Amino acid sequence: MRRVLVANTKGGCGKTTLATNLAGYLAQLGHKIVLEDLDRQQSSASWLARRPAHVATVFNAEDLGKSALQKADWVIADSPGALSEKKISDAVAEADLVLVPIAPSAFDIGATQDFLALLAEEKAVRKHKTFVGLVGMRVMPRTHSAERLLTFMDESGFAVLSMLRSSQIYVTAAEEGLSIFELSNTLKEVDIAQWNPVTDWILQNS
Ligand SMILES: Nc1ncnc2c1ncn2[C@@H]1O[C@H](COP(=O)(O)OP(=O)(O)OP(=O)(O)O)[C@@H](O)[C@H]1O
Ligand SMILES: [Mg+2]
């Protein structure tokens, strides 16, 4: 079992979007996927509840015992914005991979700077037991703010995986309990191409 933590102490940066889409992607490849919703808002859990019967199952950690959880191929944890330093430490130590979504605004970059500094200090990260990958979220291509976000990510010292554009298909997929990979919308090709480096990074670490 491999564990992916999706985290950033900045609220609304795209954690649930990243976690649910990754879960849907890996499930449709045939992997046994468990989604663990650590957020009191339970957005990931409500996405699971909306999932139609015809798509690959994603299990809710809440419904599984410890041994069933251990038998999963991947556990993907969606975390809340408000996470204490102690909880961050514990969650990072437990994870094989940490995905950090970052939205392109001065507020998001400012808040994420502190979070990345915390991550860099974590023993598991320093000892290369836990790997960190950054993903730009809700990016408007060819804007100054997209450029500023990319510069910030490049200078962080962490792996920069991709920049996912702002697209209504994320909103539609979320409403339907789907990942964008499971939508029958032909306009999603650009978005899927943007996901390739993220899914490659995840699978390389399996
Ligand atoms: N690439 C995208 N294109 C369009 N909308 C997006 C994209 N990524 C995220 N969103 C939207 O941005 C909003 C915030 O995303 P999301 O809920 O995933 O963030 P979060 O970090 O989980 O928030 P919270 O801290 O409240 O848990 C949602 O309405 C989501 O649909
Ligand atoms: Mg969320």
Side-chain angles (χ1 to χ4, degrees):
M1 184 268 276
R2 309 283 284 169
R3 204 176 158 83
V4 183
L5 172 70
V6 183
N8 186 343
T9 45
K10 178 74 180 80
C13 60
K15 296 178 287 291
T16 302
T17 303
L18 208 50
T20 52
N21 278 282
L22 180 62
Y25 173 78
L26 292 171
Q28 51 126 47
L29 289 187
H31 297 259
K32 183 173 177 189
I33 304 304
V34 176
L35 197 51
E36 189 168 29
D37 195 341
L38 305 173
D39 193 349
R40 267 198 316 187
Q41 284 178 44
Q42 293 284 291
S43 304
S44 276
S46 67
W47 176 83
L48 280 176
R50 288 194 297 278
R51 239 170 121 66
H54 69 271
V55 291
T57 305
V58 174
F59 297 90
N60 187 338
E62 284 262 292
D63 302 334
L64 301 180
K66 225 176 178 175
S67 68
L69 204 105
Q70 289 301 330
K71 286 192 196 118
D73 296 311
W74 294 92
V75 175
I76 299 166
D78 178 18
S79 61
L83 210 54
S84 68
E85 283 191 28
K86 167 84 173 82
K87 286 212 167 128
I88 295 171
S89 269
D90 293 347
V92 171
E94 231 190 317
D96 299 287
L97 301 171
V98 181
L99 274 179
V100 182
I102 316 173
S105 82
F107 301 134
D108 284 82
I109 288 174
T112 303
Q113 209 152 24
D114 299 338
F115 179 65
L116 293 184
L118 267 179
L119 279 186
E121 305 249 301
E122 287 300 328
K123 195 169 162 198
V125 174
R126 283 193 281 111
K127 303 224 161 204
H128 305 291
K129 288 191 173 131
T130 303
F131 295 94
V132 177
L134 312 183
V135 183
M137 294 297 281
R138 243 188 291 133
V139 176
M140 302 284 267
R142 295 177 299 279
T143 57
H144 286 302
S145 48
E147 260 172 52
R148 272 193 287 273
L149 176 60
L150 191 56
T151 304
F152 168 71
M153 288 161 74
D154 279 337
E155 289 172 354
S156 72
F158 290 116
V160 178
L161 304 181
S162 193
M163 304 287 264
L164 305 182
R165 70 173 178 173
S166 179
S167 166
Q168 183 62 20
I169 73 162
Y170 288 100
V171 181
T172 307
E175 279 167 1
E176 296 180 18
L178 297 171
S179 68
I180 63 161
F181 305 94
E182 297 158 317
L183 278 180
S184 54
N185 181 335
T186 52
L187 298 175
K188 67 184 184 186
E189 299 312 324
V190 173
D191 306 284
I192 287 182
Q194 292 178 340
W195 264 85
N196 284 340
V198 181
T199 51
D200 285 353
W201 186 75
I202 296 285
L203 292 171
Q204 273 160 22
N205 283 290
S206 63

